[in-house]
Protein backbone atom coordinates (compact mmCIF):
# COMPACT_ATOMS: atom_id res chain seq x y z
CA UNK A 1 0.00 0.00 0.00
CA UNK A 2 2.85 2.37 0.81
CA UNK A 3 4.20 1.98 -2.71
CA UNK A 4 0.98 3.39 -4.17
CA UNK A 5 2.36 6.89 -3.47
CA UNK A 6 5.00 6.48 -6.21
CA UNK A 7 5.56 9.18 -8.83
CA UNK A 8 5.52 8.27 -12.51
CA UNK A 9 8.96 7.05 -13.61
CA UNK A 10 10.80 9.43 -15.91
CA UNK A 11 12.86 8.18 -18.86
CA UNK A 12 16.05 9.24 -17.06
CA UNK A 13 15.09 7.25 -13.94
CA UNK A 14 14.17 4.24 -16.05
CA UNK A 15 17.58 4.40 -17.73
CA UNK A 16 19.37 4.64 -14.37
CA UNK A 17 17.55 1.59 -13.03
CA UNK A 18 18.18 -0.47 -16.18
CA UNK A 19 21.87 0.44 -15.99
CA UNK A 20 22.02 -0.64 -12.33
CA UNK A 21 20.50 -4.00 -13.17
CA UNK A 22 22.71 -4.59 -16.19
CA UNK A 23 26.02 -3.85 -14.44
CA UNK A 24 25.68 -6.54 -11.79
CA UNK A 25 24.53 -10.10 -11.60
CA UNK A 26 21.72 -8.95 -9.34
CA UNK A 27 19.69 -12.16 -9.42
CA UNK A 28 22.61 -14.24 -8.20
CA UNK A 29 23.49 -11.73 -5.49
CA UNK A 30 19.87 -11.57 -4.34
CA UNK A 31 19.73 -15.36 -4.16
CA UNK A 32 22.90 -15.53 -2.05
CA UNK A 33 21.68 -12.73 0.22
CA UNK A 34 18.33 -14.44 0.74
CA UNK A 35 20.09 -17.62 1.83
CA UNK A 36 22.37 -15.71 4.25
CA UNK A 37 19.54 -13.65 5.73
CA UNK A 38 17.30 -16.69 6.16
CA UNK A 39 20.13 -18.49 7.97
CA UNK A 40 20.64 -15.54 10.31
CA UNK A 41 16.96 -14.92 10.99
CA UNK A 42 15.38 -16.31 14.17
CA UNK A 43 11.74 -17.25 14.56
CA UNK A 44 11.47 -15.16 17.72
CA UNK A 45 13.07 -11.91 16.53
CA UNK A 46 10.90 -8.98 17.52
CA UNK A 47 8.79 -10.94 20.00
CA UNK A 48 7.24 -8.94 22.81
CA UNK A 49 7.12 -9.61 26.51
CA UNK A 50 9.66 -9.44 29.28
CA UNK A 51 10.76 -11.89 31.96
CA UNK A 52 13.03 -11.13 34.88
CA UNK A 53 16.77 -11.45 34.39
CA UNK A 54 18.68 -11.59 37.67
CA UNK A 55 21.91 -9.75 38.42
CA UNK A 56 23.65 -13.10 38.71
CA UNK A 57 22.47 -14.12 35.24
CA UNK A 58 23.57 -10.79 33.79
CA UNK A 59 26.98 -11.29 35.40
CA UNK A 60 27.28 -14.74 33.79
CA UNK A 61 26.41 -13.37 30.34
CA UNK A 62 28.78 -10.43 30.76
CA UNK A 63 31.63 -12.68 31.89
CA UNK A 64 31.23 -15.02 28.93
CA UNK A 65 31.14 -12.12 26.47
CA UNK A 66 34.25 -10.60 28.06
CA UNK A 67 36.03 -13.93 27.78
CA UNK A 68 35.10 -14.53 24.14
CA UNK A 69 35.37 -10.94 22.89
CA UNK A 70 37.74 -9.07 25.25
CA UNK A 71 38.30 -6.15 22.86
CA UNK A 72 34.65 -5.48 22.03
CA UNK A 73 32.36 -6.87 24.75
CA UNK A 74 31.53 -3.44 26.19
CA UNK A 75 29.82 -2.55 22.89
CA UNK A 76 26.68 -4.35 24.09
CA UNK A 77 25.02 -2.30 26.83
CA UNK A 78 23.38 -3.92 29.83
CA UNK A 79 20.03 -2.67 28.54
CA UNK A 80 20.50 -4.40 25.18
CA UNK A 81 21.76 -7.64 26.74
CA UNK A 82 18.79 -7.63 29.10
CA UNK A 83 16.37 -6.91 26.25
CA UNK A 84 17.63 -10.01 24.47
CA UNK A 85 17.76 -12.23 27.57
CA UNK A 86 14.32 -11.26 28.90
CA UNK A 87 12.30 -12.24 25.83
CA UNK A 88 9.97 -15.27 25.70
CA UNK A 89 11.43 -18.47 24.26
CA UNK A 90 10.12 -19.23 20.76
CA UNK A 91 9.75 -22.94 21.49
CA UNK A 92 7.75 -22.24 24.64
CA UNK A 93 6.55 -18.60 25.01
CA UNK A 94 5.46 -19.27 28.58
CA UNK A 95 9.08 -19.30 29.68
CA UNK A 96 12.06 -17.01 29.19
CA UNK A 97 14.82 -17.70 26.73
CA UNK A 98 17.46 -20.03 28.26
CA UNK A 99 20.75 -18.31 29.02
CA UNK A 100 22.47 -20.59 26.51
CA UNK A 101 20.11 -19.43 23.79
CA UNK A 102 20.68 -15.77 24.67
CA UNK A 103 24.43 -16.31 24.55
CA UNK A 104 24.12 -17.89 21.11
CA UNK A 105 22.23 -14.88 19.76
CA UNK A 106 24.66 -12.37 21.25
CA UNK A 107 27.64 -14.39 20.07
CA UNK A 108 26.32 -14.29 16.49
CA UNK A 109 26.27 -10.48 16.65
CA UNK A 110 29.78 -10.30 18.06
CA UNK A 111 31.13 -12.78 15.53
CA UNK A 112 29.68 -10.68 12.72
CA UNK A 113 31.39 -7.62 14.19
CA UNK A 114 34.72 -9.45 14.16
CA UNK A 115 34.08 -10.65 10.61
CA UNK A 116 33.52 -7.14 9.20
CA UNK A 117 36.10 -5.42 11.42
CA UNK A 118 33.57 -3.25 13.26
CA UNK A 119 35.73 -2.75 16.40
CA UNK A 120 38.53 -1.12 14.37
CA UNK A 121 36.38 1.37 12.43
CA UNK A 122 36.96 4.26 14.83
CA UNK A 123 40.73 3.70 14.71
CA UNK A 124 40.48 4.35 10.95
CA UNK A 125 38.90 7.75 11.68
CA UNK A 126 41.74 8.72 14.00
CA UNK A 127 44.23 7.58 11.36
CA UNK A 128 42.70 9.51 8.45
CA UNK A 129 42.22 12.61 10.61
CA UNK A 130 45.96 12.74 11.23
CA UNK A 131 48.88 13.26 8.91
CA UNK A 132 49.49 10.64 6.24
CA UNK A 133 53.17 11.09 7.06
CA UNK A 134 52.77 9.99 10.66
CA UNK A 135 54.60 6.86 11.81
CA UNK A 136 51.33 4.95 12.14
CA UNK A 137 50.25 5.87 8.61
CA UNK A 138 53.62 4.95 7.09
CA UNK A 139 53.71 1.65 8.97
CA UNK A 140 50.16 0.70 7.90
CA UNK A 141 49.75 1.67 4.24
CA UNK A 142 46.84 -0.74 3.61
CA UNK A 143 45.02 0.52 6.68
CA UNK A 144 45.57 4.12 5.53
CA UNK A 145 44.02 3.34 2.14
CA UNK A 146 40.99 1.82 3.88
CA UNK A 147 40.77 4.87 6.14
CA UNK A 148 40.92 7.28 3.19
CA UNK A 149 38.12 5.42 1.41
CA UNK A 150 36.07 5.59 4.60
CA UNK A 151 36.64 9.36 4.76
CA UNK A 152 35.45 9.73 1.17
CA UNK A 153 32.21 7.98 2.10
CA UNK A 154 31.72 10.20 5.16
CA UNK A 155 32.76 13.55 3.72
CA UNK A 156 29.57 14.12 1.73
CA UNK A 157 27.65 14.22 5.05
CA UNK A 158 24.89 12.04 3.68
CA UNK A 159 24.64 10.05 6.92
CA UNK A 160 24.74 11.41 10.47
CA UNK A 161 23.09 11.41 13.90
CA UNK A 162 21.29 14.49 15.13
CA UNK A 163 18.72 14.71 17.89
CA UNK A 164 16.35 12.28 19.58
CA UNK A 165 12.75 11.22 19.53
CA UNK A 166 10.43 11.84 22.46
CA UNK A 167 11.17 8.25 23.53
CA UNK A 168 14.92 8.88 23.65
CA UNK A 169 15.81 7.08 20.43
CA UNK A 170 18.64 8.76 18.50
CA UNK A 171 17.75 9.86 14.97
CA UNK A 172 19.94 8.86 12.03
CA UNK A 173 19.45 11.17 9.05
CA UNK A 174 20.09 10.02 5.48
CA UNK A 175 20.37 12.63 2.72
CA UNK A 176 20.09 10.65 -0.49
CA UNK A 177 20.81 13.61 -2.75
CA UNK A 178 24.33 13.79 -1.33
CA UNK A 179 25.14 10.14 -1.96
CA UNK A 180 27.79 9.27 -4.54
CA UNK A 181 26.65 7.95 -7.90
CA UNK A 182 29.62 5.60 -8.05
CA UNK A 183 30.26 4.50 -4.45
CA UNK A 184 32.87 2.14 -3.12
CA UNK A 185 30.48 -0.44 -1.67
CA UNK A 186 32.83 -1.72 1.05
CA UNK A 187 33.67 1.80 2.21
CA UNK A 188 29.99 2.80 2.25
CA UNK A 189 29.09 -0.21 4.40
CA UNK A 190 32.05 0.55 6.70
CA UNK A 191 30.78 4.12 7.08
CA UNK A 192 27.34 2.82 8.02
CA UNK A 193 28.86 0.49 10.65
CA UNK A 194 31.00 3.29 12.09
CA UNK A 195 28.09 5.74 12.31
CA UNK A 196 25.64 3.14 13.65
CA UNK A 197 28.03 2.14 16.43
CA UNK A 198 28.66 5.77 17.38
CA UNK A 199 24.94 6.39 17.84
CA UNK A 200 24.39 3.19 19.79
CA UNK A 201 27.14 4.17 22.23
CA UNK A 202 25.42 7.54 22.84
CA UNK A 203 21.98 6.13 23.65
CA UNK A 204 20.43 7.23 26.94
CA UNK A 205 20.32 4.59 29.65
CA UNK A 206 17.71 1.96 28.91
CA UNK A 207 17.34 2.79 25.20
CA UNK A 208 18.35 0.05 22.77
CA UNK A 209 17.04 1.06 19.34
CA UNK A 210 17.11 3.99 16.91
CA UNK A 211 15.08 5.77 14.23
CA UNK A 212 16.14 6.56 10.66
CA UNK A 213 14.70 9.44 8.64
CA UNK A 214 15.64 9.55 4.98
CA UNK A 215 15.34 12.56 2.68
CA UNK A 216 14.76 10.75 -0.59
CA UNK A 217 14.78 13.77 -2.88
CA UNK A 218 17.09 13.24 -5.87
CA UNK A 219 18.55 9.84 -4.90
CA UNK A 220 21.51 8.54 -6.91
CA UNK A 221 21.19 5.53 -9.21
CA UNK A 222 20.53 2.40 -7.13
CA UNK A 223 23.52 0.16 -6.43
CA UNK A 224 22.05 -3.29 -5.67
CA UNK A 225 25.26 -4.63 -4.14
CA UNK A 226 25.35 -1.80 -1.58
CA UNK A 227 21.65 -2.09 -0.76
CA UNK A 228 21.90 -5.83 -0.22
CA UNK A 229 24.97 -5.47 2.00
CA UNK A 230 23.21 -2.84 4.13
CA UNK A 231 20.27 -5.17 4.62
CA UNK A 232 22.57 -8.04 5.62
CA UNK A 233 24.29 -5.75 8.14
CA UNK A 234 20.95 -4.82 9.69
CA UNK A 235 19.88 -8.44 10.05
CA UNK A 236 23.17 -9.92 11.22
CA UNK A 237 24.83 -7.05 13.07
CA UNK A 238 21.97 -4.94 14.40
CA UNK A 239 19.03 -7.23 15.23
CA UNK A 240 16.19 -5.37 16.96
CA UNK A 241 18.12 -2.09 16.71
CA UNK A 242 16.02 -0.39 14.01
CA UNK A 243 12.78 0.93 15.46
CA UNK A 244 11.56 2.66 12.31
CA UNK A 245 12.78 3.99 8.97
CA UNK A 246 10.77 6.88 7.53
CA UNK A 247 11.49 7.92 3.95
CA UNK A 248 9.95 10.74 1.95
CA UNK A 249 9.13 11.61 -0.75
CA UNK A 250 8.71 8.30 -2.53
CA UNK A 251 9.85 8.33 -6.16
CA UNK A 252 10.57 5.67 -8.75
CA UNK A 253 14.11 4.93 -7.61
CA UNK A 254 12.94 4.40 -4.02
CA UNK A 255 10.24 2.11 -5.41
CA UNK A 256 12.94 0.09 -7.17
CA UNK A 257 14.98 -0.11 -3.96
CA UNK A 258 12.04 -1.36 -1.91
CA UNK A 259 10.96 -3.86 -4.57
CA UNK A 260 14.50 -5.25 -4.53
CA UNK A 261 14.81 -5.44 -0.75
CA UNK A 262 11.30 -6.36 0.42
CA UNK A 263 11.45 -10.02 -0.70
CA UNK A 264 14.70 -10.39 1.26
CA UNK A 265 13.48 -8.79 4.47
CA UNK A 266 12.28 -10.69 7.52
CA UNK A 267 8.65 -9.74 8.11
CA UNK A 268 9.42 -7.94 11.35
CA UNK A 269 11.92 -5.68 9.56
CA UNK A 270 9.74 -4.93 6.55
CA UNK A 271 7.04 -3.61 8.86
CA UNK A 272 9.42 -0.94 10.18
CA UNK A 273 9.78 0.82 6.82
CA UNK A 274 7.40 3.75 6.32
CA UNK A 275 7.24 5.19 2.79
CA UNK A 276 5.31 8.45 2.87
CA UNK A 277 4.57 11.60 0.93
CA UNK A 278 5.88 14.85 2.44
CA UNK A 279 2.63 15.85 4.16
CA UNK A 280 2.30 12.53 5.99
CA UNK A 281 6.03 12.44 6.81
CA UNK A 282 5.81 15.93 8.33
CA UNK A 283 2.98 14.90 10.65
CA UNK A 284 4.91 11.81 11.76
CA UNK A 285 8.03 13.89 12.49
CA UNK A 286 6.01 16.46 14.45
CA UNK A 287 4.67 13.72 16.71
CA UNK A 288 7.93 11.79 17.00
CA UNK A 289 10.85 14.23 17.29
CA UNK A 290 11.85 15.48 20.74
CA UNK A 291 10.98 19.13 20.08
CA UNK A 292 8.27 18.42 17.55
CA UNK A 293 8.01 20.66 14.50
CA UNK A 294 11.07 22.76 15.39
CA UNK A 295 13.28 19.67 14.95
CA UNK A 296 12.24 19.14 11.31
CA UNK A 297 15.25 20.09 9.13
CA UNK A 298 15.19 22.61 6.31
CA UNK A 299 15.77 19.96 3.65
CA UNK A 300 12.45 18.37 4.67
CA UNK A 301 10.51 21.62 4.81
CA UNK A 302 11.27 22.60 8.42
CA UNK A 303 13.41 25.23 10.11
CA UNK A 304 16.19 23.24 11.82
CA UNK A 305 19.50 23.99 10.11
CA UNK A 306 21.62 20.85 9.93
CA UNK A 307 23.97 22.35 7.37
CA UNK A 308 25.72 24.45 10.00
CA UNK A 309 27.07 21.18 11.40
CA UNK A 310 26.99 18.94 8.31
CA UNK A 311 27.54 21.16 5.26
CA UNK A 312 27.83 20.00 1.70
CA UNK A 313 31.33 18.62 1.13
CA UNK A 314 32.27 21.62 -1.03
CA UNK A 315 31.91 23.91 1.99
CA UNK A 316 33.37 21.55 4.59
CA UNK A 317 36.84 22.04 6.01
CA UNK A 318 39.36 19.40 6.95
CA UNK A 319 38.94 18.41 10.59
CA UNK A 320 42.61 17.66 11.19
CA UNK A 321 45.77 17.16 9.18
CA UNK A 322 44.29 14.37 7.09
CA UNK A 323 41.50 14.10 4.52
CA UNK A 324 38.53 13.84 6.93
CA UNK A 325 36.07 16.71 6.42
CA UNK A 326 33.04 15.17 8.10
CA UNK A 327 32.72 16.35 11.71
CA UNK A 328 32.60 12.87 13.25
CA UNK A 329 33.85 13.84 16.70
CA UNK A 330 31.63 16.93 16.85
CA UNK A 331 28.65 14.73 15.94
CA UNK A 332 29.35 12.50 18.93
CA UNK A 333 29.74 15.44 21.32
CA UNK A 334 26.51 17.01 20.10
CA UNK A 335 24.66 13.72 20.42
CA UNK A 336 25.88 13.29 24.00
CA UNK A 337 24.71 16.81 24.84
CA UNK A 338 21.35 16.17 23.21
CA UNK A 339 21.03 12.96 25.22
CA UNK A 340 21.51 14.97 28.43
CA UNK A 341 18.85 17.44 27.32
CA UNK A 342 16.45 14.56 26.62
CA UNK A 343 17.10 13.05 30.06
CA UNK A 344 16.47 16.41 31.73
CA UNK A 345 13.25 16.85 29.77
CA UNK A 346 11.80 13.34 29.90
CA UNK A 347 13.70 11.52 32.65
CA UNK A 348 14.28 7.78 32.23
CA UNK A 349 13.14 5.64 29.31
CA UNK A 350 10.37 4.20 31.50
CA UNK A 351 9.17 7.70 32.46
CA UNK A 352 9.16 8.82 28.82
CA UNK A 353 7.04 5.81 27.83
CA UNK A 354 4.53 6.65 30.55
Amino acid sequence: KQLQEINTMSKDEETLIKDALSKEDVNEEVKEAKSEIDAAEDDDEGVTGDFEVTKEEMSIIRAELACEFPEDYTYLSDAYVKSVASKPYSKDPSIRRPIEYTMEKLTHVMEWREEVGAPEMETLIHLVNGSEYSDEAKENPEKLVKAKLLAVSLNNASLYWHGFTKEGKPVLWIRCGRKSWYPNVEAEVNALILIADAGIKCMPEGVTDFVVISDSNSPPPPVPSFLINVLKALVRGYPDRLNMLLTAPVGSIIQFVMNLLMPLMPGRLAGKFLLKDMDNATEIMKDMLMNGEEDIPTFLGGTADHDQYYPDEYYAKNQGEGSLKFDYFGMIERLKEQAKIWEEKFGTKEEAEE
Side-chain angles (χ1 to χ4, degrees):
K1 292 181 180 178
Q2 296 183 64
L3 293 179
Q4 291 175 356
E5 298 176 1
I6 303 304
N7 303 325
T8 302
M9 185 183 298
S10 69
K11 288 185 179 180
D12 288 343
E13 288 176 324
E14 186 175 354
T15 299
L16 291 174
I17 289 172
K18 285 181 178 179
D19 286 347
L21 290 171
S22 65
K23 289 177 182 176
E24 304 183 46
D25 188 356
V26 177
N27 289 333
E28 186 61 31
E29 191 161 7
V30 166
K31 185 178 179 181
E32 291 178 2
K34 179 65 174 172
S35 177
E36 184 175 336
I37 289 171
D38 286 347
E41 174 63 1
D42 291 313
D43 293 336
D44 60 352
E45 285 292 351
V47 295
T48 58
D50 292 292
F51 289 84
E52 182 186 2
V53 183
T54 67
K55 291 182 179 180
E56 291 75 15
E57 289 170 325
M58 285 291 293
S59 296
I60 291 171
I61 295 171
R62 275 292 183 202
E64 290 195 32
L65 288 172
C67 182
E68 293 294 325
F69 308 97
E71 303 297 323
D72 196 33
Y73 77 97
T74 57
Y75 163 75
L76 298 177
S77 68
D78 284 347
Y80 183 73
V81 171
K82 190 173 182 179
S83 74
V84 174
S86 63
K87 292 294 186 293
Y89 189 32
S90 59
K91 296 179 181 179
D92 182 358
S94 67
I95 64 172
R96 196 197 65 195
R97 291 170 172 170
I99 292 295
E100 296 77 15
Y101 182 75
T102 292
M103 277 305 306
E104 181 181 351
K105 290 175 69 66
L106 295 174
T107 297
H108 286 164
V109 172
M110 301 303 285
E111 287 175 343
W112 176 85
R113 290 178 59 76
E114 279 192 342
E115 179 184 320
V116 300
E120 73 161 352
M121 292 301 171
E122 194 164 79
T123 67
L124 297 178
I125 287 296
H126 287 281
L127 180 62
V128 78
N129 198 40
S131 170
E132 63 180 297
Y133 303 107
S134 68
D135 290 341
E136 182 183 7
K138 288 188 287 187
E139 292 169 5
N140 299 277
E142 291 184 4
K143 187 175 180 180
L144 180 61
V145 170
K146 186 176 181 179
K148 285 184 174 182
L149 290 172
L150 178 60
V152 169
S153 294
L154 292 170
N155 283 345
N156 56 33
S158 60
L159 184 73
Y160 56 81
W161 296 102
H162 192 76
F164 287 83
T165 69
K166 289 182 174 69
E167 296 181 337
K169 305 179 193 304
V171 182
L172 180 63
W173 300 89
I174 300 176
R175 301 176 68 169
C176 292
R178 290 181 170 183
K179 284 288 185 186
S180 170
W181 277 42
Y182 305 102
N184 179 299
V185 172
E186 181 181 353
E188 289 287 325
V189 174
N190 287 345
L192 178 63
I193 292 169
L194 171 77
I195 297 294
D197 284 1
I200 287 169
K201 291 174 183 176
C202 293
M203 286 176 174
E205 185 177 352
V207 176
T208 61
D209 54 359
F210 57 80
V211 164
V212 178
I213 300 178
S214 175
D215 167 23
S216 300
N217 283 294
S218 305
V223 181
S225 179
F226 169 65
L227 298 169
I228 290 169
N229 275 280
V230 168
L231 180 58
K232 289 194 294 186
L234 269 177
V235 173
R236 293 189 60 197
Y238 302 95
D240 287 333
R241 289 293 196 182
L242 177 66
N243 178 269
M244 181 189 73
L245 186 149
L246 171 65
T247 184
V250 182
S252 301
I253 289 178
I254 299 302
Q255 179 187 27
F256 167 81
V257 168
M258 296 310 297
N259 286 340
L260 174 70
L261 296 182
M262 279 293 186
L264 301 177
M265 288 187 192
R268 64 182 177 83
L269 187 58
K272 297 178 179 181
F273 281 66
L274 301 182
L275 284 68
K276 300 294 182 181
D277 60 26
M278 286 307 304
D279 289 342
N280 286 326
T282 297
E283 292 304 312
I284 291 172
M285 288 187 285
K286 283 181 183 178
D287 291 339
M288 177 178 61
L289 296 175
M290 181 168 69
N291 298 305
E293 188 172 7
E294 66 182 79
D295 280 351
I296 300 176
T298 53
F299 55 85
L300 286 174
T303 58
D305 182 16
H306 287 195
D307 288 358
Q308 62 179 308
Y309 307 115
Y310 309 104
D312 184 275
E313 184 175 358
Y314 179 81
Y315 300 103
K317 298 179 180 179
N318 290 62
Q319 296 296 313
E321 297 180 64
S323 58
L324 181 68
K325 292 184 176 182
F326 177 71
D327 189 12
Y328 174 78
F329 300 106
M331 177 190 71
I332 292 174
E333 289 305 311
R334 283 186 290 275
L335 199 60
K336 288 179 178 178
E337 286 300 316
Q338 291 160 351
K340 290 179 182 178
I341 292 172
W342 178 84
E343 288 170 342
E344 291 171 358
K345 188 172 184 177
F346 293 99
T348 64
K349 175 178 177 284
E350 289 74 18
E351 290 170 341
E353 290 173 347
E354 290 175 2

